[in-house]
Structures are given as C-alpha cells and as structure tokens.
Amino acid sequence: MSDHPAPTAPADSDVPTIIDRFVEANRRYAPTFRDGGMDARPVQKVAVVACMDARLDLFAALGLDLGDAHIIRNAGGVVTDDTIRSLTISQRALGTRSVALIHHTGCGLLGLTEDFRRELELEVGQRPTWAVESFVDLDGDVRQSMQRVRTSPFVPHTEDVRGFVFDVHTGLLREIV
C-alpha cells in the first residue's frame, strides 16, 4: 500500500495529480541518470511476459538490472496477439532467446468473465475487439500461454520457454511444467 493516496481532485484543480508527481520525480531523477551506453538488446537475452499487477516487482524478484531483459506486461500476463508481436520483435530484431511467462496468485483476471465485454458494450455502445482472456485455472493458463509462444510461427526461439506462478504472499516463483 502506498503512503501517497491518489488525489481525487478534478483535472483543473491546483492539487497535483499522480502524473504530476511522476513528472516531478523524473526531474529529481534525471540529474543522477547515467547513460551506460546500453542498447535496446537485453544483456541477458530474455523476455519476461508478466501481469501488470502492481504487486510484482519483477526486477527485484528476478534479480534483474536495468538493461537485462525485455519486460512485457498486460492484464493477466496472458499471451495475446500483441504479446506475440512484442516477443517476435524482441527475438527477431533485438536478440532475445529465452521467454519467461509469469502469472500470479490473486490475479484480477481469475474469475472475470466475458460478461465484462458485454457490460462495456452496453455502457459505451461499442463492443471491444479484444478478448478479456480471463481464466479460472491459473496453472492451466500458464500452460496455455507457454503453448501459444511455442507454437507461434513468428517466434523463432522456443526451446527455452518456461512458465511460473508468482505467489504474492511469499514472493516465491513456482514453475509450471
């Protein structure tokens, strides 16, 4: 839980928003930033696909440093067409060879249904073109994600594709085979 609650003031208020705080934090960060000469190719030649959940600090949990890996995040950490797009570019243009897929306990997609799309359609008058990709079986969805990567004709390096569930209470990874 953050020590800084999100402001609820309207956009035209003088109260700073969270994004205003990002900009200020960046101004403090920039003078200490040092371009280490990194390029876009990850040093460890790995791409990590994970959920966007704010409880997952992937750099700390995986022992990664800046420049080590491509981190691809979305709701649920599921392998969608856009994930395949990112992995394809990561491997074919930027040299990665390994893929780690990380789902987690307590995910917001567990139990969510396609009714979510129908409700959105009723609310906004247009049905989303994307699938919710919800699931009820966490391990099964990790297996499905691994299969989607391994069978994609666009992702050439599939010999080191592994899947995990991150436990949000212990911080431990459990490998799914």
Side-chain angles (χ1 to χ4, degrees):
M1 187 137 200
S2 173
D3 293 335
H4 305 286
T8 57
D12 61 351
S13 169
D14 289 333
V15 176
T17 68
I18 186 63
I19 297 174
D20 293 329
R21 291 199 306 248
F22 292 167
V23 171
E24 182 55 36
N26 178 257
R27 286 188 187 118
R28 290 189 306 273
Y29 165 78
T32 66
F33 177 74
R34 296 294 172 257
D35 176 2
M38 287 186 255
D39 102 2
R41 296 173 181 272
V43 172
Q44 301 298 327
K45 298 184 184 306
V46 64
V48 178
V49 177
C51 185
M52 65 186 191
D53 192 293
R55 296 172 289 182
L56 278 65
D57 181 351
L58 296 172
F59 283 87
L62 303 177
L64 294 170
D65 290 320
L66 188 64
D68 278 352
H70 285 154
I71 307 294
I72 302 162
R73 297 182 81 156
N74 64 32
V78 295
V79 176
T80 62
D81 286 346
D82 192 59
T83 307
I84 293 294
R85 171 189 161 272
S86 294
L87 288 172
T88 300
I89 293 167
S90 177
Q91 287 196 353
R92 291 181 180 267
L94 298 169
T96 62
R97 296 293 178 264
S98 299
V99 179
L101 304 166
I102 302 177
H103 285 35
H104 66 92
T105 58
C107 185
L109 280 188
L110 278 166
L112 195 64
T113 68
E114 288 298 316
D115 288 340
F116 182 77
R117 287 178 65 208
R118 285 188 280 286
E119 291 164 6
L120 277 174
E121 181 180 14
L122 290 173
E123 179 184 328
V124 302
Q126 182 177 338
R127 188 177 192 116
T129 57
W130 39 263
V132 174
E133 295 278 353
S134 61
F135 45 88
V136 294
D137 177 2
L138 193 54
D139 292 13
D141 200 68
V142 173
R143 286 186 195 94
Q144 175 178 292
S145 291
M146 288 189 293
Q147 188 65 14
R148 284 180 176 175
V149 172
R150 288 177 179 151
T151 60
S152 172
F154 307 110
V155 179
H157 305 287
T158 58
E159 30 318 304
D160 192 20
V161 175
R162 294 170 64 186
F164 302 87
V165 172
F166 177 88
D167 188 310
V168 297
H169 299 294
T170 67
L172 291 172
L173 288 175
R174 178 173 55 83
E175 187 159 9
I176 305 299
V177 290

